[in-house]
Amino acid sequence: MPHSFEFKFTGNIHVHSMDRQAGIFIGERNSAVGWSAHGKANNVIGGISGKSNLLYENVLILNDPDLIDTPIDDRDIHMSIENEGKEKTSNFTVESVIVNSMQQNSLVSVGEGHVTGMDANEKSNEPHGSIYGNGNISLGNYNINNDQDVLDAIMEDQDIKIANVNKVE
């Protein structure tokens, strides 16, 4: 069936920071089925954003000698079914999109969106972590992370992800 769509984007897209499993969808039809993000991250300092950040006298030690580290079993089944419907008309205007920070499993969707199956498993060692903003100061740091697990972050994520999108008739 006919589908009429009028979309006006008059401004800008400003994104400061996006983390794992994050997305910005702008448009007539946005479909995301079966997203997956799995992993293990060892960050001694992590991410630093902004202006004029100062880290002073840092001693950062990360020791992660696992025997078995982050086994991931992710056997997903992804299906997307869309049922056509009657004629549909959509009109909208967006001046701008401003995103300051998107963390894990974050989404900005402008338009007709069908998002399913977002999936994120993570094990992270960050002795210092992330710093966001302007003019942050971190003085006299001493960070130690010692992760002595025999088995670490076992992830068994066996999903069946079905997206059935029914159009209005």
Side-chain angles (χ1 to χ4, degrees), residues 58-69:
N58 296 295
V59 176
L60 304 163
I61 299 170
L62 192 141
N63 185 16
D64 187 23
D66 298 318
L67 182 61
I68 298 174
D69 198 2

Side-chain angles (χ1 to χ4, degrees), residues 44-134:
V44 176
I45 291 181
I48 299 172
S49 301
K51 298 179 181 178
S52 302
N53 293 306
L54 172 68
L55 284 86
Y56 182 71
E57 295 183 10
N58 296 295
V59 176
L60 304 163
I61 299 170
L62 192 141
N63 185 16
D64 187 23
D66 298 318
L67 182 61
I68 298 174
D69 198 2
T70 319
I72 299 169
D73 186 1
D74 181 40
R75 292 178 266 174
D76 297 334
I77 298 172
H78 308 274
M79 294 187 295
S80 179
I81 303 164
E82 186 169 315
N83 299 318
E84 294 296 326
K86 272 176 93 175
E87 183 176 325
K88 184 176 177 182
T89 302
S90 300
N91 297 306
F92 64 94
T93 302
V94 176
E95 186 174 320
S96 63
V97 175
I98 299 172
V99 177
N100 204 17
S101 178
M102 292 182 70
Q103 300 302 314
Q104 184 170 313
N105 282 8
S106 298
L107 175 69
V108 174
S109 181
V110 178
E112 186 176 319
H114 308 288
V115 180
T116 185
M118 290 181 75
D119 193 290
N121 299 306
E122 179 180 13
K123 186 243 178 179
S124 181
N125 288 331
E126 294 181 294
H128 195 279
S130 299
I131 298 174
Y132 299 103
N134 295 327

Side-chain angles (χ1 to χ4, degrees), residues 23-34:
I24 297 175
F25 301 121
I26 298 175
E28 179 180 350
R29 297 178 68 181
N30 302 312
S31 297
V33 178

Side-chain angles (χ1 to χ4, degrees), residues 127-154:
H128 195 279
S130 299
I131 298 174
Y132 299 103
N134 295 327
N136 294 311
I137 298 172
S138 183
L139 297 172
N141 300 295
Y142 181 74
N143 299 300
I144 295 176
N145 187 342
N146 188 9
D147 188 13
Q148 298 292 325
D149 299 324
V150 174
L151 294 175
D152 197 4
I154 298 171

